[in-house]
Amino acid sequence: QVQLVESGGGLVQPGGSLRLSCAASGSIFSINAMSWYRQAPGKERELVAAITSGGSTNYADSVKGRFTISRDNAKNTVYLQMNSLRPEDTGVYYCRSEGRSTDRYSLYDRWGRGTQVTVTS
């Protein structure tokens, strides 16, 4: 089993910053990609940012230039640095990890439970 634990959410004023972390643990053989999604009230879950094992990144247009995704492969951890936060960034942020487990090298696709980010004055 692969588990993901997110941390770093909270309440922040517009223009402020937060840093989210997500640590993957368990029966991990390799991680292909880790990503962050968010879901605002009444809206569908959307991709915020993703990073591959090689370091290639992808961002939603709405966060380009403000958010930065990074990962520590040795710690199986992904980070999301969020700057210049806006009220529309409010939502539950979910971490996702895709890779291969040590169980017969089978593919896995796991989600964290989410962490709340609220941007309000």
Side-chain angles (χ1 to χ4, degrees), residues 21 42 69 82:
S21 299
I69 189 170
M82 305 185 293

Side-chain angles (χ1 to χ4, degrees), residues 28-42:
I28 298 171
F29 175 75
S30 63
I31 298 177
N32 297 331
M34 298 189 77
S35 49
W36 288 97
Y37 288 71
R38 68 185 179 192
Q39 188 165 20

Side-chain angles (χ1 to χ4, degrees), residues 43-75:
K43 294 188 177 181
E44 294 186 354
R45 191 174 298 187
E46 63 174 353
L47 175 68
V48 176
I51 186 167
T52 68
S53 59
S56 297
T57 58
N58 182 40
Y59 295 93
D61 288 343
S62 60
V63 307
K64 285 180 180 177
R66 300 188 298 123
F67 291 10
T68 302
I69 189 170
S70 61
R71 62 188 284 176
D72 184 332
N73 291 333
K75 296 181 179 180

Side-chain angles (χ1 to χ4, degrees), residues 15-29:
S17 298
L18 283 174
R19 188 191 193 211
L20 306 182
S21 299
C22 172
S25 62
S27 53
I28 298 171
F29 175 75

Side-chain angles (χ1 to χ4, degrees), residues 4-7 20-24 34 36 76-79 95-96:
L4 302 181
V5 177
E6 301 123 326
S7 62
L20 306 182
S21 299
C22 172
M34 298 189 77
W36 288 97
N76 290 336
T77 298
V78 65
Y79 306 96
C95 176
R96 181 184 186 187

